[in-house]
Amino acid sequence: MDVQKRNFIIIWISNVLVAGTMTMIMPFLSLYIETFGDYSDAYVQKWAGLIFGASFVTAFIMSPIWGRVADKYGFKPILLINGFGIAISVFLMGFVDSVESFFLLRLLNGVVTGFIPTSLAFISSQTAKKEAGKMLGTLQMGSVTGTLFGPVFGGLLADAFGFQYTFVITSISVIVAALIVLFGIKEQKRVKNPKAIQYSRKAIISGLLHHRLMLNVMIVTALIQVGNFSIQPLLSLYVSHLTDAKDVAFLAGVTFSAAGIGNLLFARRWGKLGDDIGYEKVLSILLLLSFVFIIPQAFVTQLWQLIFWRLLFGIALGGMIPITTALVRREAPIDIQGEVMGYNTSFRFLGNIIGPMFGGIISGFIGISSVFIVTGVLFLVGFAFLYYAKRKPVQDFEDFLAAEEKRTHS
């Protein structure tokens, strides 16, 4: 087996383990907080939201930093630091006795929550541009698989062994992922051009914010997560309005998983299609499809209808992350690819932060069903921005960065 294929298989397996671990605590987060003391429901719900979102805040800050370090020292060391860091923080979560300490550990967890984005950047750097979409789409299937089954296993483990042992067991699974990366991955060192421009952080940020296509990719990346997370905290309540069944939590889980299954089935296909006909074209199609598939969710009258539209929405959503990552892979100079992908990841985490707050505010003012409509409009806005960028003359990102570097130092 050649090195690239072995690296890919190992990273895929590791992504399943890590993504599963990061979502295992979701089913019992509120219940775990209740074990710290005799708290009101409002107190528990407030802290559950803060603790869940804490890791996204620090991850948003750290992603470009890990990317810059990876460009300098390689992706494998960063994968190991993040893998073992996640394992340690999750292990310690099993031994906290207050919401404040749990919150601080989730912040720490966010500092090292760069394993999956770094693995995307690593595989992207080792993959030919012409098949980047297909490979990244396949890799996306690994993290989605973990995300789908993580909450299920987390709930089963918590029921069988208790909360503390669930954290211990999940930390061991991340250690296994880190160990197979340590002993199985062989990173092929990139040959850097000694004449290549050394871009400053200021020039890179300025370039990303002023380059039409790259700015649109970053915005769309955030919109994907806003669309995904805006309804997530409200889904069980929405499901309860559509059914009289007692097992609402289970049915909400099925409804949420429907989008993940659609994602899983089509991520690779969208990526391959992007390789064949162009990433911008496929991304435009996906944004329109997301709009078409999310709007009907506001008007469903039965649960099966919601599940059906969530499945279709997941199919459209599933292609966006590999397509946007492949676009960054195509445009970014090889020497700063990790850092540029780090900023793209930061926009993903920004969407994770904004999404739940956005959904909560909208639903509070005009109802839960309106969240689907407003989110759909955001996808349409993303399409309009991308369409505008495509209509303008093509800007070579490397040349654009070089001009920004010269301008910032003049």
Side-chain angles (χ1 to χ4, degrees):
M1 187 185 296
D2 65 58
V3 173
Q4 282 190 347
K5 189 173 182 181
R6 187 182 68 185
N7 285 351
F8 183 83
I9 292 170
I10 289 170
I11 290 294
W12 195 93
I13 294 169
S14 300
N15 272 8
V16 173
L17 292 171
V18 172
T21 299
M22 300 313 293
T23 55
M24 274 183 177
I25 69 165
M26 286 170 61
F28 60 84
L29 185 59
S30 299
L31 298 175
Y32 189 51
I33 292 171
E34 287 177 344
T35 65
F36 301 151
D38 185 18
Y39 304 125
S40 67
D41 288 344
Y43 182 88
V44 171
Q45 289 167 12
K46 181 189 76 174
W47 274 104
L50 290 171
I51 288 169
F52 179 73
S55 61
F56 297 136
V57 176
T58 43
F60 167 75
I61 297 167
M62 287 300 298
S63 290
I65 297 171
W66 287 127
R68 195 173 184 88
V69 176
D71 287 328
K72 189 172 183 179
Y73 298 106
F75 291 104
K76 184 175 177 178
I78 307 305
L79 286 169
L80 293 174
I81 291 169
N82 279 275
F84 288 115
I86 291 169
I88 292 168
S89 61
V90 170
F91 178 82
L92 293 174
M93 285 176 199
F95 299 90
V96 296
D97 57 5
S98 69
V99 287
E100 291 84 4
S101 53
F102 193 15
F103 178 77
L104 289 173
L105 279 175
R106 285 286 290 174
L107 284 174
L108 173 64
N109 185 251
V111 172
V112 289
T113 307
F115 188 94
I116 290 174
T118 302
S119 69
L120 279 169
F122 170 63
I123 293 300
S124 175
S125 71
Q126 311 264 303
T127 303
K129 286 185 180 183
K130 63 181 180 181
E131 57 176 7
K134 180 183 73 174
M135 297 299 285
L136 293 168
T138 309
L139 189 60
Q140 169 77 356
M141 290 166 64
S143 57
V144 171
T145 301
T147 303
L148 278 176
F149 293 106
V152 177
F153 285 122
L156 291 173
L157 287 171
D159 288 339
F161 302 106
F163 300 133
Q164 187 177 79
Y165 285 107
T166 300
F167 284 108
V168 173
I169 293 166
T170 54
S171 69
I172 290 171
S173 73
V174 182
I175 289 173
V176 170
L179 287 174
I180 62 174
V181 168
L182 175 62
F183 295 109
I185 288 292
K186 185 176 181 182
E187 184 169 1
Q188 296 171 310
K189 297 296 182 183
R190 292 169 293 172
V191 179
K192 294 189 176 183
N193 182 0
K195 296 181 181 179
I197 299 171
Q198 299 298 309
Y199 299 105
S200 65
R201 187 172 299 168
K202 184 179 178 181
I204 293 171
I205 294 172
S206 179
L208 289 171
L209 294 177
H210 292 92
H211 186 270
R212 281 189 297 270
L213 178 60
M214 292 298 278
L215 177 61
N216 274 280
V217 169
M218 302 292 160
I219 291 171
V220 168
T221 298
L223 284 177
I224 295 166
Q225 301 306 104
V226 171
N228 212 5
F229 278 75
S230 60
I231 197 63
Q232 187 173 323
L234 307 166
L235 201 58
S236 57
L237 189 59
Y238 195 56
V239 168
S240 70
H241 293 161
L242 296 173
T243 179
D244 295 325
K246 293 180 181 179
D247 49 351
V248 173
F250 171 74
L251 292 172
V254 171
T255 307
F256 180 74
S257 296
I261 291 168
N263 191 317
L264 188 64
L265 291 174
F266 279 82
R268 176 184 170 89
R269 297 183 186 187
W270 287 123
K272 188 177 186 307
L273 186 63
D275 293 333
D276 294 338
I277 68 171
Y279 301 126
E280 292 93 335
K281 190 177 291 186
V282 173
L283 188 55
S284 298
I285 293 169
L286 291 175
L287 285 165
L288 282 178
L289 287 178
S290 296
F291 169 76
V292 170
F293 293 150
I294 199 170
I295 294 296
Q297 295 176 46
F299 303 101
V300 296
T301 55
Q302 296 184 47
L303 183 59
W304 70 265
Q305 296 169 346
L306 179 62
I307 292 172
F308 172 74
W309 288 111
R310 293 295 294 172
L311 177 69
L312 292 181
F313 179 62
I315 288 172
L317 209 61
M320 290 193 189
I321 290 176
I323 291 294
T324 51
T325 308
L327 261 170
V328 174
R329 160 77 177 90
R330 189 190 73 190
E331 296 291 322
I334 191 72
D335 291 340
I336 60 166
Q337 211 163 82
E339 183 172 358
V340 174
M341 285 193 176
Y343 284 112
N344 192 46
T345 302
S346 284
F347 273 81
R348 280 179 64 186
F349 286 124
L350 181 63
N352 291 355
I353 296 166
I354 293 172
M357 294 189 295
F358 174 80
I361 291 168
I362 296 296
S363 65
F365 279 105
I366 45 179
I368 294 177
S369 59
S370 62
V371 176
F372 296 106
I373 298 171
V374 177
T375 303
V377 172
L378 289 179
F379 284 117
L380 208 56
V381 170
F383 169 80
F385 276 120
L386 189 61
Y387 180 78
Y388 170 77
K390 285 166 60 182
R391 298 269 295 180
K392 294 291 182 177
V394 175
Q395 296 172 305
D396 184 280
F397 186 57
E398 195 162 356
D399 291 343
F400 194 85
L401 275 180
E404 285 295 315
E405 181 67 35
K406 186 176 180 181
R407 186 181 66 81
T408 56
H409 284 83
S410 60

